[in-house]
């Protein structure tokens, strides 16, 4: 189990802006890896009401169960457990509930029974990451519910410095500021429109 503070800045991009940035930073198709995110909540969307999210992420045969909760001040607190492939498949097939020790403890502290969780759906992301000005610049192309979107994230350890660097980056590349909801929120919005 790991628990960490996540501080990131996000901006939605057009496909043209995304392609241009990839060209500027010499990011090729080979630099991208695929992430599959399976999102969960209760029937009554209790996690959403708490501004929290729960996912199982598959990346290169690694399976992580992560609960994201608002942190005091800035960012999110992420609690993550590693799961086995067979357990994840059993959860996705509806034959098993979460047996993620630390995530389950956090869920119980939020008064959410892991047995009440259900899968909301799956979002696929092609991701490339590069080091940039002391942080991590992340290029995401996501596919879900007949939707494609493009997003830029900047993950940092210092909120004030990171914000200044990110805003300068957007200005330098003539990218308008476009708010980016969490992926799970964008996913749910697209699903609800269908």
């Amino acid at each position: 189990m790991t628990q960490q503070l996540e501080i990131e800045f996000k901006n939605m991009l057009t496909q043209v802006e995304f392609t241009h940035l990839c060209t500027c930073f010499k990011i090729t198709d080979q630099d991208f890896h695929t992430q599959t995110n399976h999102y969960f909540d209760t029937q009554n969307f209790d996690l959403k009401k708490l501004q929290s999210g729960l996912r199982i992420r598959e990346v290169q045969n690694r399976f992580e169960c992560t609960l994201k909760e608002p942190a005091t001040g800035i960012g999110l607190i992420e609690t993550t457990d590693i799961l086995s492939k067979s357990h994840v498949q059993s959860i996705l097939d509806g034959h098993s509930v979460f047996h993620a020790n630390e995530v389950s403890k956090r869920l119980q502290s939020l008064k959410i029974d892991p047995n009440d969780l259900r899968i909301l759906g799956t979002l696929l992301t092609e991701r490339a990451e590069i080091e940039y000005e002391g942080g991590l610049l992340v290029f995401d192309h996501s596919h879900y519910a007949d939707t494609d979107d493009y997003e830029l994230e900047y993950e940092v350890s210092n909120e004030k410095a990171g914000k200044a660097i990110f805003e300068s980056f957007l200005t330098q590349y003539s990218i308008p500021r476009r708010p980016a909801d969490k992926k799970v929120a964008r996913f749910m919005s697209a699903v609800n429109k269908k």
Side-chain angles (χ1 to χ4, degrees):
M1 186 283 292
T2 60
Q3 193 170 58
Q4 65 182 28
L5 176 65
E6 176 187 70
I7 301 173
E8 66 183 9
F9 299 94
K10 305 168 106 174
N11 202 74
M12 298 305 295
L13 302 173
T14 65
Q15 183 178 7
V16 170
E17 291 165 345
F18 186 84
T19 303
H20 177 69
L21 288 176
C22 288
T23 301
C24 290
F25 287 93
K26 298 179 175 50
I27 297 171
T28 67
D29 288 346
Q30 291 72 36
D31 295 316
F32 284 88
H33 64 272
T34 302
Q35 294 183 161
T36 304
N37 295 314
H38 306 286
Y39 294 106
F40 297 82
D41 205 336
T42 66
Q43 184 77 29
N44 297 322
F45 297 100
D46 294 317
L47 285 169
K48 179 182 178 183
K49 291 172 187 172
L50 296 170
Q51 298 178 317
S52 298
L54 179 66
R55 70 163 185 242
I56 293 178
R57 174 174 283 171
E58 298 178 43
V59 182
Q60 300 167 340
N61 277 341
R62 180 179 168 91
F63 299 84
E64 299 176 342
C65 177
T66 300
L67 175 66
K68 293 188 177 195
E69 304 171 74
T72 304
I74 183 80
L76 299 169
I77 295 292
E78 293 185 340
T79 303
T80 301
D81 285 301
I82 303 301
L83 303 178
S84 70
K85 181 176 183 176
S86 61
H87 182 210
V88 169
Q89 193 57 57
S90 183
I91 292 170
L92 297 177
D93 291 342
H95 303 305
S96 180
V97 296
F98 280 86
H99 297 295
N101 292 337
E102 298 303 320
V103 169
S104 292
K105 287 178 191 174
R106 289 296 311 142
L107 289 170
Q108 290 168 358
S109 75
L110 297 171
K111 308 279 190 277
I112 294 174
D113 184 341
N115 293 305
D116 293 338
L117 295 169
R118 63 186 179 95
I119 188 164
L120 301 174
T122 300
L123 178 147
L124 188 78
T125 299
E126 302 295 332
R127 171 171 281 191
E129 303 171 339
I130 59 170
E131 298 292 326
Y132 181 80
E133 301 287 329
L136 187 67
L137 202 55
V138 180
F139 301 79
D140 281 349
H141 175 196
S142 296
H143 318 273
Y144 52 95
D146 299 327
T147 302
D148 281 89
D149 72 27
Y150 302 86
E151 177 184 19
L152 183 69
E153 296 182 2
Y154 187 50
E155 298 177 5
V156 295
S157 57
N158 181 295
E159 185 264 340
K160 186 176 179 182
K163 183 176 182 181
I165 292 167
F166 190 63
E167 288 178 355
S168 175
F169 179 94
L170 295 177
T171 300
Q172 179 182 347
Y173 288 94
S174 303
I175 298 171
R177 192 75 175 98
R178 296 185 196 99
D181 287 333
K182 296 174 190 170
K183 284 182 179 64
V184 67
R186 300 196 313 261
F187 168 83
M188 289 305 298
S189 177
V191 167
N192 290 334
K193 286 180 185 173
K194 288 187 92 177

